[in-house]
Amino acid sequence: MGIEAAALPVGEALGRIAREFESAGILILSAEAGAGKTTLVPPGLLEAGLGRRGKILVLEPRRIAAIQAAARIAELLGEELGGRVGYKVRGEGRESGSTRILFLTEALLTRFIQEDPELSGVDILIFDEYHERSIHTDLALALALEARLLRPELKLLIMSATLDAQALSAFIKSHQGRKPALIDVPGRAFPVDIFYRPLPRRGRFEEEYAQALLGIASETEGDILAFLPGRAEIERVSAALRLEWRGPAALPEILILHGSLDVAQQRQVVRGPDNSKAAAPRRIILSTSIAQTSLTIPGIKVVVDSGLNRLSRFHLGSGMDRLVTESESRRDAVQRAGRAGRLGPGRAYRLWAEANQLPEETEPEILRADLSALVLEACIWGARGPKALPFPNPAPSAAWQIASSLLEDLGLIDAEARVLDLGKRCARLGLSPRLGAMVVSQGSPLAAACAALLEEGDHPAMRGDANFSLRLESLRSGNSAERAWRERVLKEARRICKAANIKQMDWSPGDEGLAGSCLLSAYPDRLCRLQAGGNYRFPSGREARLGGMGRGTGAGSLEGREWLVAPEVDSGESLGLIHLAASLETEEVAALVYPRAEAGFSLEWRLWSPRPRRELLLGKLSLGSPSLGSPSKGSPSFAKNSKAGGTSAELETEARQAILDSIAQRVEKEGLVCLPWSESALCLLERARALSSAVEGLPALDESAMAASIKDWLFPFLNLSRLGQSQGALPPVIDAEGLSQALAFLLNPCRARIEREAPESVSLPTGAQRRLLYGEGDQAILEARVQELFGLTEQPRAAGRPILIRLLSPSGRPVQSTSDIGGFWKNSYPEVRKELRGRYPKHYWPEDGERAQATSRAKPRAS
């Protein structure tokens, strides 16, 4: 084989791996980091004769990992890259007719299987670093398992350093009918000392991280690999290090590594220090989780781990992604620390408290991401539901349905989930469904450039302004400061043009004004309109503010533009942030969106008086009145193309429904307390609730039950009689009197028992009536001054329980509470009397409160 296999643990197990793999057909190989699985297993299987008829495809989660692994194996075999060992990633590749081992990314395998479901010409599929579990990984494995049913001689090998092999084995058996072989190979990692150094968290995270990193650098030797959650943190820590470095030695070489860099830049970092130089500078590599697995970076002796991951989570309500920073998993922490022990003993510094509990593993992407690409591929395969393909974790049904709806809106599939011609052409471009739909439907170099910009990411110098057209202008004009970025984006644009058969590559400055219309064909759900408060509203109802990618950036050149389409927006927890957007003119919106608009009503509330206004709606986004911004001459007319028709009776019915929906939503959001309760009605409700557990047949009166049944008990009492007679504000649709009537109707079957067993008030020994307090706990409460209760010997009851008496001083301050008034007079009253006599000497304080005359005055009247 030409490789010193015995030097690595996997080398000793190659014979067993080959034998069991050939016998079982599917093998799960658990091998710790540094065991040599990536570099030894593929050529070892080839040497053992397992790839004698076809190729061995090795799937890597990242392009740089595929290129690096292929180059390393070719080097160890003493051959040129592109000979027996090659690679193929999006946009480039090195392979030939003699290539037997081909490294590629998982997304490319999907295309191979879709075009040739039996994978003829392939003997072995190897899934490397399977534990990363991207959507592409799960889809590739699902299709590979399906392909194996068509062609049982196809062999699958799944490799990982951290993997629940037993769970994966049980899943594969459930689909294939036979358990795969399992082999566990220990690693050859050197010992790594773990140190915990929690950040103080008193200031900005990046500054504290940089200070910790400087301290660690001063007490260690060797290159440092520092893990941070994202690109923004990397750049700020890099700046802080350069500013704060005070060491006696020269500033180390500070390198950055993240997925937005092009492959050439990533390759430069992972290549390692130049050992040909007598004194190569020390390196500090600031990286995202891209360096956690797959990539081996020579020279690393120290790891500094922030303990944080940046993940994308799909927000079902808004249809937008949300970037969240979360604690890494325990398995992530083990992987990161292991990077320090690949070449010799190392150190790992964890910048959190040792007592912190980390989750066991990171949630698979299929459970938290946008599924549109996966659903399109599933539909092409013929699988029309989340359970139609074998996924280790089934795709969430709600996310699947949202993705299906988007694909239908884009014209890629029909209502029956059958793939249309546009969908098939889109899938062959190697782009997301949104961008593929834009390129295929527009068929222009501008569309290809827009897609390339979104695929390759932003240039750091532009992040202060969200205007998408500025990127197009810079791409066309060729600013020298952005040369590497421009070349990367233009390379991807040329690839897209070739794949989409777009002959022309250039566009004119005037075309850049059409960017909004172009992007709207990919993001019809990301149209947004400026609202009175300065935020932008989307069809989902979510609002977002306009900003750049950097912290503290403002609206920039898009400020004040009424219409935007936002391809990059973080949904946020309650208010999103628009990172990238293009503007549109009202006429463009009219021509492109109004044909899909529907008539509806917006409501402005003044207390409980609604002002319904007829308007056009795209989801929950108001496009204005039917006459506002109607298409210009030559554009499709609103009357013919929109769904805004309807008789006055139909429109009145829709307005009525809009009001009812608005009330229900407000109650659901704010609670029943938002309704205009009178004091007596609220007291009646509290009394009924106090009695609900003791009275059979009483309706459910808790907050959620009443909100859920609001259409049954409240809506019949709303005043909607003038809905069709007024164009302005209507009278209140509900007031205190109407609400009291609605509650009386709800409680009518049990009203007599409520009055009898949960009275509104009780009589005091003075003869006065005192209202009971309900709703504070399990018992009704009576508040009265001590003197008013003299002579009370039996505890009054309400709602089947003793009333809690809250005794007050003459000034109305609480003195004591009791559910046993007789016991109070005997046991507590002497001490209370002593205290109150001292404070209120002019008041009446008899020795025996149980037999004394009650009074509402300072002293009883003389008899």
Side-chain angles (χ1 to χ4, degrees):
M1 180 168 62
I3 300 177
E4 295 294 332
L8 294 170
V10 164
E12 301 174 3
L14 280 176
R16 179 189 171 198
I17 291 171
R19 289 191 302 272
E20 296 196 24
F21 187 33
E22 185 168 24
S23 173
I26 302 180
L27 171 66
I28 299 174
L29 174 62
S30 299
E32 295 178 9
K37 59 185 182 298
T38 302
T39 52
L40 295 184
V41 171
L45 296 178
L46 185 64
E47 187 174 87
L50 269 70
R52 62 177 68 93
R53 289 181 299 275
K55 289 181 180 178
I56 298 175
L57 300 185
V58 187
L59 308 182
E60 294 289 345
R62 299 179 180 87
R63 287 184 284 174
I64 182 60
I67 296 170
Q68 185 191 33
R72 179 60 177 159
I73 293 176
E75 179 185 356
L76 293 173
L77 291 173
E79 301 177 1
E80 289 290 326
L81 184 60
R84 283 199 300 163
V85 183
Y87 71 89
K88 185 177 181 64
V89 298
R90 193 186 72 190
E92 66 174 287
R94 294 279 295 276
E95 62 177 322
S96 64
S98 61
T99 298
R100 303 295 302 283
I101 300 173
L102 182 65
F103 281 81
L104 68 159
T105 51
E106 294 137 338
L108 287 182
L109 175 68
T110 300
R111 292 271 54 76
F112 287 1
I113 298 182
Q114 295 282 25
E115 294 170 5
D116 179 9
E118 294 188 0
L119 278 181
S120 53
V122 176
D123 277 2
I124 299 171
L125 281 180
I126 300 177
F127 290 79
D128 194 18
E129 306 293 357
Y130 173 77
H131 62 273
E132 295 205 12
R133 292 289 304 278
S134 70
I135 280 183
H136 296 302
T137 305
D138 279 358
L139 179 60
L141 179 61
L143 296 181
L145 291 172
E146 295 268 287
R148 198 170 183 277
L149 295 179
L150 300 172
R151 188 171 151 243
E153 64 270 22
L154 178 66
K155 292 180 170 55
L156 306 182
L157 173 55
I158 301 170
M159 306 193 301
S160 174
T162 55
L163 175 69
D164 187 343
Q166 294 296 334
L168 181 59
S169 174
F171 159 72
I172 292 175
K173 181 185 177 183
S174 70
H175 184 266
Q176 299 284 304
R178 181 183 177 186
K179 288 187 68 174
L182 300 177
I183 296 179
D184 186 16
V185 178
R188 193 207 61 175
F190 291 90
V192 175
D193 294 327
I194 306 293
F195 302 90
Y196 289 88
R197 291 193 178 177
L199 296 179
R201 299 300 174 96
R202 291 190 294 266
R204 193 168 178 174
F205 164 76
E206 292 87 352
E207 294 172 355
E208 292 185 348
Y209 186 97
Q211 288 296 327
L213 192 52
L214 289 171
I216 292 167
S218 68
E219 63 187 60
T220 58
E221 296 179 351
D223 291 349
I224 298 175
L225 177 59
F227 286 102
L228 287 154
R231 182 175 68 179
E233 289 85 356
I234 285 175
E235 291 170 355
R236 287 194 284 266
V237 169
S238 175
L241 287 175
R242 298 176 195 278
L243 183 65
E244 298 294 333
W245 182 262
R246 298 289 187 271
L251 177 68
E253 184 180 8
I254 299 174
L255 303 172
I256 62 175
L257 183 61
H258 52 74
S260 299
L261 297 174
D262 61 37
V263 172
Q265 291 172 303
Q266 294 181 31
R267 199 181 308 174
Q268 183 179 0
V269 176
V270 302
R271 187 178 293 135
D274 187 356
N275 294 323
S276 63
K277 296 181 180 179
R282 188 183 191 186
R283 303 190 306 160
I284 296 178
I285 300 171
L286 307 176
S287 176
T288 61
S289 58
I290 188 174
Q292 186 171 302
T293 58
S294 305
L295 304 179
T296 297
I297 305 176
I300 298 299
K301 292 185 179 181
V302 179
V303 163
V304 181
D305 187 359
S306 66
L308 301 175
N309 259 342
R310 177 75 38 77
L311 300 176
S312 176
R313 291 192 176 275
F314 184 65
H315 186 267
L316 294 176
S318 66
M320 302 172 186
D321 288 319
R322 180 183 169 214
L323 285 176
V324 294
T325 302
E326 300 179 350
S327 294
E328 66 183 83
S329 70
R330 189 183 65 81
R331 292 183 180 181
D332 292 337
V334 171
Q335 288 271 12
R336 292 181 178 186
R339 299 283 106 181
R342 299 297 293 269
L343 304 175
R347 291 182 165 203
Y349 293 84
R350 293 173 172 172
L351 304 187
W352 66 87
E354 186 173 3
N356 284 11
Q357 296 295 315
L358 303 180
E360 180 62 24
E361 58 185 358
T362 301
E363 189 176 36
E365 192 178 17
I366 195 171
L367 300 180
R368 55 179 169 82
D370 171 24
L371 299 183
S372 56
L374 181 145
V375 172
L376 178 59
E377 295 293 350
C379 291
I380 293 173
W381 186 258
R384 298 181 182 177
K387 297 181 180 179
L389 279 174
F391 298 120
N393 298 94
S397 298
W400 187 285
Q401 183 56 51
I402 289 173
S404 298
S405 298
L406 173 64
L407 297 177
E408 189 178 349
D409 288 344
L410 293 173
L412 306 184
I413 64 174
D414 64 14
E416 302 299 321
R418 292 181 293 241
V419 182
L420 303 175
D421 179 65
L422 184 65
K424 295 175 183 177
R425 293 164 60 196
C426 167
R428 289 192 285 267
L429 297 181
L431 297 170
S432 71
R434 288 183 185 272
L435 299 184
M438 175 179 68
V439 171
V440 173
S441 63
Q442 301 291 312
S444 66
L446 181 69
C450 290
L453 278 166
L454 293 170
E455 277 288 308
E456 294 299 319
D458 228 352
H459 188 276
M462 300 179 181
R463 288 181 210 144
D465 193 318
N467 194 339
F468 189 86
S469 294
L470 296 180
R471 279 78 172 165
L472 286 171
E473 180 184 353
S474 181
L475 191 63
R476 175 181 48 78
S477 62
N479 189 315
S480 59
E482 301 148 7
R483 181 176 178 182
W485 168 82
R486 179 173 183 267
E487 290 176 354
R488 185 174 81 245
V489 176
L490 287 177
K491 178 182 177 181
E492 174 63 6
R494 286 190 289 269
R495 183 198 71 80
I496 294 171
C497 284
K498 182 178 179 181
N501 198 27
I502 298 173
K503 304 300 183 184
Q504 182 184 350
M505 182 58 224
D506 300 323
W507 68 92
S508 66
D511 294 336
E512 289 158 10
L514 303 174
S517 298
C518 189
L519 290 171
L520 193 60
S521 64
Y523 299 91
D525 54 331
R526 302 284 177 83
L527 177 71
C528 54
R529 188 180 191 184
L530 185 63
Q531 304 297 298
N535 295 330
Y536 283 83
R537 173 168 289 185
F538 293 83
S540 65
R542 176 72 69 167
E543 293 193 0
R545 64 181 177 87
L546 185 62
M549 295 291 286
R551 181 178 295 186
T553 54
S557 57
L558 291 176
E559 186 170 10
R561 300 304 299 265
E562 182 179 9
W563 297 98
L564 300 177
V565 56
E568 289 190 9
V569 54
D570 190 311
S571 72
E573 291 192 13
S574 57
L575 180 66
L577 179 64
I578 297 172
H579 296 306
L580 204 56
S583 63
L584 297 105
E585 299 298 329
T586 301
E587 291 75 14
E588 293 179 282
V589 176
L592 296 170
V593 177
Y594 278 9
R596 296 190 292 117
E598 296 186 357
F601 292 86
S602 66
L603 292 173
E604 295 179 5
W605 289 93
R606 186 178 182 85
L607 298 178
W608 285 98
S609 298
R611 184 186 181 94
R613 185 179 61 185
R614 187 184 175 200
E615 62 181 0
L616 297 178
L617 296 174
L618 187 66
K620 296 179 181 178
L621 174 63
S622 170
L623 304 177
S625 66
S627 60
L628 177 63
S630 55
S632 58
K633 187 176 182 181
S635 300
S637 70
F638 165 75
K640 293 181 179 179
N641 291 278
S642 75
K643 305 173 185 176
T647 65
S648 58
E650 290 171 341
L651 295 175
E652 180 179 334
T653 299
E654 291 182 27
R656 179 186 301 270
Q657 190 60 49
I659 291 173
L660 298 181
D661 290 344
S662 179
I663 293 173
Q665 291 166 8
R666 182 173 174 185
V667 168
E668 182 180 5
K669 181 179 180 181
E670 301 178 25
L672 295 172
V673 69
C674 72
L675 295 172
W677 296 97
S678 66
E679 185 177 353
S680 60
L682 196 57
C683 178
L684 176 60
L685 176 59
E686 291 171 348
R687 290 159 57 200
R689 284 176 171 173
L691 200 60
S692 60
S693 62
V695 177
E696 185 177 350
L698 198 67
L701 298 174
D702 59 275
E703 188 85 12
S704 58
M706 289 186 68
S709 63
I710 194 170
K711 65 179 185 297
D712 299 321
W713 65 271
L714 176 62
F715 284 6
F717 295 89
L718 297 180
N719 177 21
L720 300 175
S721 59
R722 293 179 56 189
L723 186 60
Q725 305 172 17
S726 175
Q727 298 300 314
L730 298 176
V733 294
I734 186 69
D735 55 18
E737 181 180 355
L739 188 56
S740 297
Q741 293 173 353
L743 183 64
F745 169 78
L746 178 65
L747 301 178
N748 184 60
C750 306
R751 183 66 180 269
R753 189 165 182 181
I754 293 171
E755 297 296 341
R756 183 174 65 253
E757 300 186 21
E760 183 175 357
S761 61
V762 296
S763 295
L764 299 181
T766 61
Q769 290 289 315
R770 185 63 48 85
R771 175 172 286 180
L772 296 175
L773 303 177
Y774 292 87
E776 291 189 23
D778 294 337
Q779 295 173 280
I781 299 173
L782 169 63
E783 290 188 342
R785 292 192 294 274
V786 175
Q787 295 107 317
E788 294 177 299
L789 298 174
F790 288 154
L792 181 66
T793 58
E794 292 186 9
Q795 193 79 16
R797 298 177 64 85
R801 303 178 186 87
I803 294 173
L804 179 68
I805 298 177
R806 191 174 289 162
L807 297 125
L808 309 177
S809 70
S811 63
R813 295 180 179 179
V815 173
Q816 190 168 327
S817 296
T818 183
S819 295
D820 178 11
I821 190 66
F824 169 76
W825 297 128
K826 291 181 176 66
N827 303 315
S828 301
Y829 176 66
E831 287 297 323
V832 171
R833 174 177 178 267
K834 181 179 179 181
E835 180 181 349
L836 294 179
R837 284 185 69 189
R839 291 186 181 181
Y840 306 97
K842 294 183 179 181
H843 285 254
Y844 174 56
W845 301 111
E847 292 185 6
D848 188 352
E850 190 173 10
R851 292 178 173 81
Q853 179 184 350
T855 179
S856 58
R857 302 162 58 87
K859 293 182 180 181
R861 294 180 183 271
S863 57

